[in-house]
Amino acid sequence: MKSKATGICIGSIIFMLLFWGKPAWASLEWETSEITLEADGAQPQITTLFKCRNAASYSVSVTQSKASSPQVRCYFHSMGRSSMEPDARGWLTATFRNQGVFSEQRYVIEVRTDDRKAPTYELTLRVVPKGWDKMTPEERALLASEGA
């Protein structure tokens, strides 16, 4: 049998979750946190955009963007301003330097902000050979062995 205190406690938690608004970690809202690029040998580099919006009620600045590999360069843009005002939009340009792709590759891009509530975001750039998603596991293994 539940006590009256347990019911009040659970009710209080539900009330706080419903009525205290957005969670603190949602200052930059990204359209997507993972993008897949298809690469073929003829492309020396491939560029994509990770788009975001400042959903906070205060300005947020991106202080650093860094990829997990030197094969990926990234730059953050916010319409020429050093900080993003509330509801402003920005984007991170990620450029993959293609040196031959023979299997799926994943690169993590860390985006750091001056926001104490949400200082870091992780984005993923997935690079695959052209037609990778249509290949059978055997075809993927064969292609990967050619690149080794």
Side-chain angles (χ1 to χ4, degrees), residues 22-44:
K22 291 185 177 184
W25 45 262
S27 56
L28 293 186
E29 289 180 347
W30 297 89
E31 285 183 5
T32 183
S33 61
E34 182 172 318
I35 293 179
T36 298
L37 299 176
E38 283 192 344
D40 66 24
Q43 299 166 289

Side-chain angles (χ1 to χ4, degrees), residues 90-133:
W91 63 93
L92 180 124
T93 303
T95 302
F96 172 72
R97 290 185 277 178
N98 188 5
Q99 299 171 345
V101 177
F102 298 97
S103 62
E104 177 182 23
Q105 299 174 22
R106 288 184 179 270
Y107 302 98
V108 175
I109 299 169
E110 183 179 84
V111 179
R112 292 180 183 237
T113 71
D114 65 352
D115 186 358
R116 290 178 295 147
K117 296 177 183 177
T120 307
Y121 297 87
E122 281 193 359
L123 308 172
T124 302
L125 180 62
R126 178 179 171 246
V127 183
V128 297
K130 200 162 212 104
W132 181 259
D133 291 335

Side-chain angles (χ1 to χ4, degrees), residues 2 7 10 14 23 32-33 40 45-46 52 61 65 75-77 82 89 91 96 101 106 128-129 146:
K2 291 183 183 179
I10 291 172
I14 291 171
T32 183
S33 61
D40 66 24
Q45 64 184 30
I46 309 163
C52 70
S61 294
S65 56
Y75 304 98
F76 189 81
H77 310 274
S82 60
R89 299 188 184 280
W91 63 93
F96 172 72
V101 177
R106 288 184 179 270
V128 297
E146 290 175 7

